[in-house]
Every structure is written in C-alpha cells, then in structure tokens.
Amino acid sequence: MIMLCLTFTAILVYVDDLVLAGNCLEEINRINKVLDDAFRIKDIGKLKYFIGMEVARSSKGIALYHRKYVLDLLSEYDMTNAKPVTTSMDYSTKLSKDCAAPFQDIFLCRRLVDRLLYLTNTRLDISFAVGKLSQCLDCSTISHHQAVLRVLKYLRLVPARGLFFLTSFDLCPTTYSDSDWAGCLDTRRLVTGTCFFLGSSLVFWKSKKQVTVSCSSSEAEYNHTRH
C-alpha cells in the first residue's frame, strides 16, 4: 500500500498583515523564510488576533471568536447596558417590506447590518436573523430597526461565543438541513438552511431563499433536497 502525504499551506493577506496556515510546520517555516528574504517581514509568532477575529488555543482545540469586536459594537451603538435576550430574533414576528412604518435613518440600519454581516464569520447563531434583515435594506421599517437592536441585545448575552475546532482525528462528515414553507412573506419562497460538520467541529453553514415557490410543505421539502 502506498501512502501519499499531501501538504497544504494557505496565506491570508490583509493590507500588510499575513497569516500562514497549513498542515506542515516545515513548509510554513520555509515559506516564511522565502517571504522574509524578499520583503523583510516580521514574524510575531502564533496567531492571536486578525482583523477583529481573536484566536485562543488549548490542549483541546482552537477557538475563533469576536469578543472585542462585539464589545466595541455594543459601545458604539450605546447598547452596553441593554437588557440581554436569549434569542437573536422574535420568531413570532414576521418581517416584510411593509410590516411597519418606514424607519427614518435608513443608513443607520444599513451600517449596523453591514457590521453584523462580518460577525457571522464566527457566529452561526445570528446568521439567519442577519440574513433576514439584509433582505430589506432598501426599505427598512421601524420593525426592522427593532429587530437589529434585538440582535445586539442577544450578542450582549454571550459576546465571546464563536467556533471551536477540536484537536480530534474524527473527520466523519455530518450534514443537517431543513426548510420552511413560504418563509419569505414578500415572495412566498421557501428558505433552506444547512450546516456541515467534520467530527464535532462546524466548518460550513448557509441559509438561502430558493428561487421556486412551493405550493405545499411537502413540495418545499422536496425542492430543498434537490437544491
């Protein structure tokens, strides 16, 4: 039996900051030396902070979270002392483009939703709510503004929540998915959600409004499995 050992190295670049990641330390050190010979770079050691994302290591695994980013966001919008809530949105309230009176400062809503979109890189728990809010940025209402503030109140409950990747060799893939029926009140289209795990570590998630209009909940589930 022939065993092939493949090495993989990725370089993440933001302005003048670089992050090297891979599965072979010798290869990372070699690339680091090549970059240093060409550009005289400074190696500051293991990654701890990168464009708002914090990295923490332990014997059990690696955690990625945006604690400082969340705290700065709460401070900027004067929500530091707001009463926290346990869910990111009020699921009994259905948001649509004409569910309430228009909100006067539409640019405030747009900027806040934009800030929350970046946060979804590590916060699966707000992805669905932020996705719903981002669909009505051209016609934000008072209800949408209240829903955005609710997301901030939810973030205040646990600002350091994020992703955790275990140092486990269990790479068994597992996928969970679900769909609703006519979840979008404006288009009557179904919304699907999917999350993908390697072992017990979440590596991918997505919610999407489908292009078809289903006439029943059974058809919605069938279209979900097709897409």
Side-chain angles (χ1 to χ4, degrees):
M1 180 181 294
I2 300 176
M3 300 294 292
L4 296 178
C5 183
L6 301 179
T7 62
F8 172 81
T9 304
I11 303 177
L12 309 179
V13 182
Y14 179 75
V15 190
D16 58 350
D17 295 327
L18 290 84
V19 176
L20 274 71
N23 60 355
C24 178
L25 184 59
E26 292 182 359
E27 180 67 11
I28 291 177
N29 291 334
R30 187 189 69 81
I31 295 177
N32 193 20
K33 185 179 184 306
V34 171
L35 292 173
D36 184 52
D37 293 339
F39 305 106
R40 301 292 296 175
I41 65 174
K42 180 181 179 181
D43 186 358
I44 59 175
K46 293 183 178 180
L47 181 65
K48 295 181 179 179
Y49 190 84
F50 186 67
I51 54 175
M53 183 183 298
E54 298 169 70
V55 182
R57 293 176 175 82
S58 69
S59 58
K60 295 183 178 180
I62 299 176
L64 303 179
Y65 53 93
H66 281 89
R67 180 179 179 274
K68 184 179 183 303
Y69 183 91
V70 170
L71 295 178
D72 290 344
L73 191 62
L74 294 174
S75 177
E76 179 180 346
Y77 290 92
D78 196 24
M79 298 291 289
T80 305
N81 297 318
K83 183 178 179 180
V85 294
T86 56
T87 58
S88 60
M89 64 184 298
D90 182 3
Y91 295 99
S92 63
T93 301
K94 300 295 184 179
L95 296 176
S96 64
K97 293 185 177 182
D98 56 355
C99 62
F103 185 66
Q104 297 301 319
D105 193 350
I106 189 173
F107 295 102
L108 176 65
C109 267
R110 288 179 178 177
R111 174 173 170 76
L112 184 48
V113 171
D114 182 60
R115 299 286 300 276
L116 292 174
L117 277 171
Y118 177 68
L119 189 56
T120 58
N121 286 315
T122 58
R123 296 294 298 252
L124 166 68
D125 49 342
I126 67 170
S127 292
F128 181 77
V130 175
K132 292 285 289 185
L133 293 169
S134 64
Q135 297 175 22
C136 300
L137 294 181
D138 60 331
C139 53
S140 297
T141 67
I142 295 176
S143 294
H144 289 94
H145 181 245
Q146 293 173 345
V148 174
L149 295 182
R150 182 184 179 92
V151 177
L152 293 181
K153 294 177 182 178
Y154 172 74
L155 292 174
R156 185 180 179 276
L157 185 68
V158 187
R161 180 173 291 169
L163 300 175
F164 188 72
F165 302 98
L166 289 170
T167 53
S168 170
F169 293 99
D170 177 18
L171 297 180
C172 178
T174 306
T175 302
Y176 299 94
S177 61
D178 198 7
S179 65
D180 62 8
W181 177 37
C184 177
L185 298 181
D186 297 311
T187 64
R188 309 304 297 175
R189 295 177 183 175
L190 67 147
V191 179
T192 62
T194 303
C195 56
F196 185 86
F197 290 82
L198 279 179
S200 58
S201 300
L202 178 66
V203 295
F204 174 81
W205 62 91
K206 179 180 71 171
S207 63
K208 178 183 179 181
K209 183 167 61 177
Q210 297 293 347
V211 297
T212 58
V213 178
S214 301
C215 298
S216 67
S217 58
S218 298
E219 184 180 353
E221 294 291 345
Y222 172 71
N223 288 332
H224 169 53
T225 56
R226 291 177 57 199
H227 295 282

